[in-house]
Amino acid sequence: MINSAISNFHKFSLKKKIEIIKKFSNLGKTDLSLLKKYQKLPDFLGFENNIGPFKIAANFLVEGKNYFVPMEIEEPSVVAAASRAARQIREGGGFRGKYLGNEMLGQLQLLGIKNFKKAKEKILGNKYEILKIANETNKFLLKIGGGAKDLEIRKVKNFLVLHLFADPKDAMGANIINTMLEKAAPFISKITGGKIGVKIISNFAEKRIVFVEGRVPVKKLALGNFSGKEVVKGILNAQELAESDIYRAVTHNKGVMNGIDAVALATGNDFRAIEAGVHSFAAKDGKYKPITKWKLEENFLKGEIKIPLAIATVGGATSTKKAKLALKILRVKNAQELGVVAASVGLANNLAALSVLGTEGIQKGHMKLHREFING
Ligand code: MEV
């Protein structure tokens, strides 16, 4: 098994890059011919980190495991930046991360409820019956330990809103939860006398949070004429501005999402749902905040990211040939492993962006690559 720490991966010929990935991820004939099909498309450019339907970021070490990460994104500089920052974080031991939970929630809106207290009692009194109806829609999920787990009742204006919590395991959860809600809705309407309104998953996935951290020896952050200490100063100033200013915080977060969306797209995930979840989470306390934090800890710059991340390895477009190939290259075993890797990529992109923003500026490296990409 090869290490993914290859500093000049982007400089290798296409043939050599494919050779490395083939060995690393044990690609077969079908995988290679799929890559070839994409390489024949008129817009394919065989330089930088492109290998076919996606580009490849190198150097990722997450929870002690090596990864080459497929990223589907038009900006080659994002992939180059992720690879560079992953190399720096590797110097500090790599990324560490985990999920704090795996539940999604769906909402059912009830209209015309006259006695809220009584309706709430009725629902909670029939909780196990409701969960049973919901779970009848997906026996397999139940068998593997997932499925509907709990209910919560809220009053929002004149509406009674039921929250159904379910563990979708390695799926994103939208189809699972929407089906459960639609199946349970007539029973809930019957016991409460309420009329059914909205019944849909919530993308505010606050019970499916991933946390990732990584650190870099300050010395390793040196960039061009700037010392590691100067780069750190720039990063901390940028962080402070993002903490107190929505204009900066949103761009800070956009840079993080450059990486996460690219992994989500390569693996056939719903990146709009992920975006919606992340930005709502960033504003959950009434003020829009950066989703990463950087601080100095002795001779290390330490970064962390904490976000809802409903990313999947089964269901929806994750079963397309392209997404399956991306998952094979990643060698991830389940959705949580994929989520930890995706959040690591986001943190890496944020480190790369803040390193240049507080020092030499973005245009030098980023726009150079972008121009080469556009002009071929
Ligand atoms: C550009 O795609 C992303 C950045 O604007 C992110 C940031 O400002 O932190 C460079």
Side-chain angles (χ1 to χ4, degrees), residues 163-346:
H163 283 181
L164 173 70
F165 298 98
D167 180 350
K169 289 289 185 186
D170 292 324
M172 185 271 186
N175 282 332
I176 291 169
I177 290 193
N178 297 344
T179 309
M180 287 177 170
L181 288 171
E182 290 188 11
K183 187 78 193 284
F187 176 71
I188 298 166
S189 170
K190 196 175 113 198
I191 59 173
T192 57
K195 193 169 168 296
I196 300 295
V198 160
K199 38 206 170 308
I200 194 81
I201 195 157
S202 167
N203 293 122
F204 183 53
E206 61 173 349
K207 291 193 182 289
R208 205 172 183 181
I209 302 288
V210 63
F211 175 81
V212 167
E213 61 184 9
R215 52 187 214 150
V216 192
V218 170
K219 286 203 296 265
K220 297 286 173 188
L221 286 162
L223 182 73
N225 294 329
F226 296 90
S227 70
K229 275 189 182 157
E230 285 169 317
V231 174
V232 167
K233 253 188 210 150
I235 292 174
L236 297 180
N237 283 331
Q239 179 75 38
E240 195 179 341
L241 180 59
E243 294 286 348
S244 358
D245 182 33
I246 190 170
Y247 292 94
R248 177 56 208 151
V250 71
T251 320
H252 178 112
N253 290 346
K254 188 270 180 185
V256 178
M257 297 314 290
N258 272 344
I260 295 176
D261 285 347
V263 178
L265 269 168
T267 53
N269 273 281
D270 181 347
F271 72 96
R272 288 90 53 216
I274 292 173
E275 283 274 342
V278 164
H279 293 292
S280 56
F281 190 73
K284 73 177 180 354
D285 298 323
K287 185 168 185 246
Y288 187 89
K289 294 284 226 171
I291 53 175
T292 62
K293 276 195 176 65
W294 293 96
K295 61 181 178 211
L296 193 58
E297 271 185 14
E298 295 179 0
N299 293 325
F300 289 88
L301 177 75
K302 188 175 170 210
E304 55 184 56
I305 177 169
K306 192 178 170 196
I307 47 165
L309 191 51
I311 201 161
T313 51
V314 300
T318 63
S319 56
T320 57
K321 285 186 181 143
K322 182 196 77 180
K324 275 192 172 156
L325 178 56
L327 291 167
K328 186 166 180 182
I329 291 174
L330 276 158
R331 302 178 313 131
V332 290
K333 290 191 184 63
N334 54 43
Q336 292 207 345
E337 186 182 343
L338 175 62
V340 171
V341 172
S344 302
V345 177

Side-chain angles (χ1 to χ4, degrees), residues 75 78 248 251-252 254-256 258 350 353-354 357 362 366:
E75 282 186 271
V78 169
R248 177 56 208 151
T251 320
H252 178 112
K254 188 270 180 185
V256 178
N258 272 344
N350 184 231
L354 301 192
L357 288 178
I362 192 93
H366 168 93

